[in-house]
Amino acid sequence: MTARILDGNALAQKLRADFRARADALAERGKRPGLAVILVGEDPASRIYVRNKVNACAQAGLHSERIGFAADVAPEVVLAKIGELNADPRIHGILVQLPLPGHFDSDAVLKAISPAKDVDGFHAENVGALVQGHPRFIPCTPYGVMQFLADSGIDPKGKEAVVLGRSNIVGKPMAMLLMQANATVTVCHSQTRDLTFHTRRADILVAALGKPRFVTAEMVKPGAVVIDVGINRLPDGRLCGDVDFGPVSEIAGAITPVPGGVGPMTITMLLANTLEAAERDVH
Ligand code: GUN
């Protein structure tokens, strides 16, 4: 069996088709949607992610501001900037690129963002709303994964879903969304015993652990839907996911590639959340 390739660039393009019209409609009412992206330090991967987010805003007709700080900036300076952005009527979404340098309390920084502008959905209040089943903003990567499933006609209802990774950014919200979509969800992590026992039971397998080509063909149930959230750089500079794509695509029923899978969807859902924030501000 050769898996169906779930094309993130194509789906992103489809979903973004009306974004510019929505942004322009808001601009006509004096409210062009605006996203502020805060980057602390010089991490090369984070710089690329931030650049991609800012470029995507420009393409979709959203205003964006990139606010950079040196790695050794005092946390109070960043908190003061977030306070300014919370009060800025041109800004509807605020994103602090993670990870932050070690001297930061990330939870405290995320909590400083107004929950109404928290387009990443990482504020404790928004996490709580998601867990209770009435999300204000759905974190962008798991939101993108759910869009893949919906667009591909894959209904999680009654299926065994296994999530590899328990991060606040992907694993935990992913598990919550799959559970709310009526899947039976197992979350595996670095302390899980007999990982393959779990992964081989998965009808839907989401890999978000940040280990290059970790998921091998032996770990996958024939016909499973395999979603690869990983973005890893190989020693030769090429990108690869958490899934060993070649062999796994011979076994799986459907699979997302890296690059060109979940990545473009994450940015698309960030734009969607920012548009949504601006539309709520108008209504
Ligand atoms: N770092 C890795 N993924 C993300 C994300 O989705 N949002 C933010 N803010 N930082 C990240």
Side-chain angles (χ1 to χ4, degrees), residues 225-240:
V225 176
V226 179
I227 307 283
D228 191 350
V229 175
I231 303 179
N232 309 291
R233 202 166 282 285
L234 293 168
D236 67 6
R238 283 182 305 148
L239 291 181
C240 78

Side-chain angles (χ1 to χ4, degrees), residues 115-212:
K117 296 189 177 187
D118 169 37
V119 284
D120 257 334
F122 295 163
H123 189 290
E125 188 179 311
N126 288 332
V127 175
L130 175 72
V131 172
Q132 290 186 333
H134 43 80
R136 188 195 264 129
F137 292 112
I138 299 175
C140 305
T141 299
Y143 195 5
V145 172
M146 296 309 284
Q147 297 291 324
F148 259 126
L149 299 180
D151 184 72
S152 315
I154 299 160
D155 183 356
K157 183 173 161 185
K159 296 207 167 71
E160 294 289 334
V162 175
V163 179
L164 302 183
R166 56 178 160 178
S167 70
N168 290 338
I169 294 178
V170 183
K172 285 182 199 164
M174 188 74 257
M176 212 49 66
L177 291 170
L178 287 165
M179 189 167 67
Q180 280 158 13
N182 299 309
T184 302
V185 181
T186 304
V187 180
C188 298
H189 47 76
S190 55
Q191 308 304 312
T192 298
R193 277 184 284 146
D194 199 353
L195 198 60
T196 300
F197 165 78
H198 296 286
T199 58
R200 279 196 66 88
R201 290 171 45 247
D203 303 307
I204 299 171
L205 180 61
V206 181
L209 27 69
K211 292 190 177 166

Side-chain angles (χ1 to χ4, degrees), residues 14-169:
K14 184 164 130 186
L15 294 181
R16 290 187 203 191
D18 71 343
F19 283 6
R20 177 168 277 280
R22 284 169 65 189
D24 288 348
L26 287 161
E28 271 173 33
R29 301 173 67 173
K31 283 256 176 230
R32 182 162 297 282
L35 174 70
V37 183
I38 295 178
L39 174 65
V40 183
E42 297 287 326
D43 178 69
S46 290
R47 282 170 64 103
I48 293 171
Y49 295 144
V50 165
R51 189 191 63 201
N52 290 347
K53 288 169 186 179
V54 168
N55 288 347
C57 281
Q59 280 166 15
L62 278 69
H63 164 71
S64 70
E65 289 177 25
R66 178 194 186 282
I67 300 143
F69 292 103
D72 61 355
V73 67
E76 297 70 40
V77 175
V78 177
L79 292 172
K81 186 66 199 179
I82 291 173
E84 267 175 45
L85 295 166
N86 283 340
D88 186 339
R90 293 167 309 162
I91 296 298
H92 304 91
I94 303 169
L95 177 155
V96 177
Q97 188 64 29
L98 301 174
L100 286 166
H103 65 290
F104 274 83
D105 174 351
S106 298
D107 286 342
V109 172
L110 296 175
K111 266 195 199 153
I113 298 172
S114 162
K117 296 189 177 187
D118 169 37
V119 284
D120 257 334
F122 295 163
H123 189 290
E125 188 179 311
N126 288 332
V127 175
L130 175 72
V131 172
Q132 290 186 333
H134 43 80
R136 188 195 264 129
F137 292 112
I138 299 175
C140 305
T141 299
Y143 195 5
V145 172
M146 296 309 284
Q147 297 291 324
F148 259 126
L149 299 180
D151 184 72
S152 315
I154 299 160
D155 183 356
K157 183 173 161 185
K159 296 207 167 71
E160 294 289 334
V162 175
V163 179
L164 302 183
R166 56 178 160 178
S167 70
N168 290 338
I169 294 178

